[in-house]
Amino acid sequence: MLALLLLCAAALPLAARRAIPAPEEAARMARFVLHACDWGALATLSTQEGLRGRPFANIFSLSDGPPGPHGGSGVPYLYLTDLEISVQDLEVNSNASLTVSLAQTPYCRKHKYDPQNPLCAHIIFCGTIVKVNDSEVGLAKKALFTRHPEMESWPKDHNWFFAKFNITNIWVLDYFGGLKIVTPEEYYSVKP
């Protein structure tokens, strides 16, 4: 019995290491990081007086699907209102970048990785933000409201709407040696 317990204890760290994709699986890592995270930093080109044309980053809650092991859709969904200044920027220019990092999860803290350490994986998406069409509203609503239940009670007079990040470029930093480029086709074709 003791030998079995020791064997299980020895296998646990190996299993924990396999929970995160290997560095050579950049597309899988991108999907893993997005699904593990609840928010990201969205950068727009500001339209605000005094900042016009300059980069402006803001934090947004997001979700690619309900939490759990199935990995989500890979599509970053957001719940937005025109009252928010970054959304006002997007109405003029829908181009944006989105950074999501495992620094917001227990993973980096557990391993004592600083958020800037490449082993504390983060991804950067570039693309555009668009309102979801009627056929996708149910999916976006389920993805967001299961992770962020408070959203359902946000003031209705703010005219909230569901949007998604249409990904055109992906960079992954999950190991030493620099950024890895992942195409959207590679990203969506892997199972997280």
Side-chain angles (χ1 to χ4, degrees):
M1 183 65 164
L2 180 60
L4 181 60
L5 286 173
L6 290 174
L7 182 61
C8 289
L12 185 61
L14 181 61
R17 276 181 280 172
R18 286 192 181 150
I20 188 168
E24 59 272 6
E25 297 182 277
R28 191 174 313 284
M29 180 63 79
R31 293 283 302 268
F32 177 87
V33 171
L34 179 65
H35 190 65
C37 295
D38 291 329
W39 57 269
L42 184 74
T44 60
L45 290 177
S46 181
T47 58
Q48 304 304 311
E49 197 59 46
L51 293 175
R52 195 173 313 277
R54 296 170 68 188
F56 187 84
N58 208 342
I59 300 298
F60 284 90
S61 299
L62 54 81
S63 176
D64 78 330
H70 301 296
S73 66
V75 176
Y77 289 107
L78 304 107
Y79 197 43
L80 305 175
T81 173
D82 293 331
L83 299 175
E84 211 289 323
I85 63 173
S86 294
V87 176
Q88 293 168 16
D89 297 342
L90 293 167
E91 290 171 346
V92 174
N93 182 345
S94 65
N95 289 296
S97 68
L98 175 66
T99 300
V100 184
S101 171
L102 286 182
Q104 66 179 276
T105 71
Y107 177 81
C108 296
R109 287 186 295 278
K110 175 183 169 191
H111 291 89
K112 296 182 171 61
Y113 295 150
D114 185 86
Q116 253 183 278
N117 182 330
L119 298 176
C120 184
H122 74 268
I123 54 174
I124 303 164
F125 296 116
C126 280
T128 57
I129 302 285
V130 297
K131 288 183 180 181
V132 299
N133 61 35
D134 290 344
S135 66
E136 206 171 358
V137 166
L139 182 60
K141 182 177 183 177
K142 181 178 179 184
L144 286 159
F145 288 5
T146 55
R147 284 189 185 241
H148 307 282
E150 174 189 325
M151 287 179 169
E152 240 177 320
S153 66
W154 287 356
K156 300 297 182 212
D157 65 350
H158 284 39
N159 297 316
W160 296 95
F161 62 91
F162 295 100
K164 66 180 176 180
F165 196 100
N166 273 340
I167 300 167
T168 58
N169 303 84
I170 305 164
W171 293 271
V172 177
L173 185 61
D174 65 347
Y175 202 72
F176 303 100
L179 289 167
K180 299 169 192 162
I181 296 172
V182 173
T183 67
E185 294 77 23
E186 292 167 330
Y187 174 79
Y188 285 116
S189 70
V190 297
K191 291 197 183 281

